[in-house]
Structure formats: structure tokens, C-alpha cells
């Protein structure tokens, strides 16, 4: 039997756990025809800062310095949030420093939840 204090458990939750992956979790909102998504970050244990850019209508790129998005070990979970528009949202990780999101149109992400997991 092992005993843990509430402080130990809170620290584990707040800093992330070594559960086999590192994670970036955020709420994304994108509005307008030229604006990048704005991220409200919930958790980031990746070890770098993600910068969001708009590369075209409904196309957005998350860029992080370094080699953090490992080929065949990166997964993205995303939805449109509370946006009234419906669209297929696709993602790809074309490089080890970027993840791309394609919603086919602007203003589709309103409080959209995104989680990027990189398995170790």
C-alpha cells in the first residue's frame, strides 16, 4: 500500500503524468477571414510553445520549435466546439515541428477542443 497526499495528486494532475505521452490541450477559436486561431491553453507538457497561424481559408498550422511531433506517434483529437457551422475537420503532421488543421472554411472553430498527443 502506498499513501499519497492531496498535494502529490494535484501536482501530478497540474504538471501532466508520464502516462506514455506528452500533451497539448487547448480551446481554439478562429473568427474572420485573415485571423489565426486563438488558443486558450489548458495543459502543455510538450516542452515548447505552439504558435498558430492561418495559411488559407479554414487552414491553420500549429508550429513548435524542435522535433516534437514524432512520426507515427502523434495523434490529434479536435472538434468544432460550439460553432453552428458544420465541417469535416482534418489534421495532419507533415513535419516534426508542425500540425495542420483543415476545416474547409473560416469561423468554424468556436471554443473547439484540441488535444495533440505525442507518444514516447
Amino acid at each position: 500500500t502506498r499513501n499519497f497526499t492531496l498535494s502529490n495528486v494535484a501536482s501530478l494532475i497540474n504538471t501532466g503524468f508520464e502516462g506514455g505521452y506528452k500533451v497539448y490541450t487547448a480551446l481554439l477559436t478562429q473568427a474572420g477571414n485573415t485571423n489565426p486561431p486563438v488558443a486558450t491553453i489548458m495543459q502543455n507538457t510538450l516542452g515548447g510553445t505552439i504558435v498558430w497561424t492561418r495559411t488559407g481559408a479554414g487552414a491553420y498550422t500549429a508550429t513548435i520549435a524542435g522535433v516534437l511531433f514524432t512520426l507515427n506517434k502523434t495523434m490529434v483529437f479536435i472538434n468544432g466546439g460550439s460553432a453552428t457551422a458544420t465541417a469535416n475537420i482534418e489534421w495532419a503532421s507533415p513535419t516534426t515541428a508542425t500540425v495542420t488543421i483543415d476545416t474547409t472554411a473560416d469561423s468554424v472553430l468556436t471554443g473547439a477542443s484540441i488535444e495533440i498527443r505525442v507518444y514516447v
Side-chain angles (χ1 to χ4, degrees), residues 14-107:
N14 290 330
T15 61
F17 63 98
E18 296 299 325
Y21 61 86
K22 295 184 179 200
V23 66
Y24 170 87
T25 306
L27 297 175
L28 294 179
T29 297
Q30 189 281 328
N33 293 330
T34 60
N35 299 324
V38 174
T40 301
I41 300 168
M42 314 291 243
Q43 184 177 31
N44 183 358
T45 62
L46 294 178
T49 300
I50 289 183
V51 176
W52 288 94
T53 56
R54 180 185 178 274
T55 58
Y60 316 106
T61 299
T63 303
I64 193 165
V67 179
L68 296 176
F69 300 134
T70 309
L71 181 65
N72 296 322
K73 291 191 174 193
T74 300
M75 292 178 56
V76 176
F77 304 94
I78 186 170
N79 66 30
S82 61
T84 56
T86 58
N88 289 329
I89 301 175
E90 299 176 357
W91 72 273
S93 187
T95 74
T96 57
T98 62
V99 166
T100 60
I101 307 295
D102 185 0
T103 64
T104 67
D106 287 317
S107 300

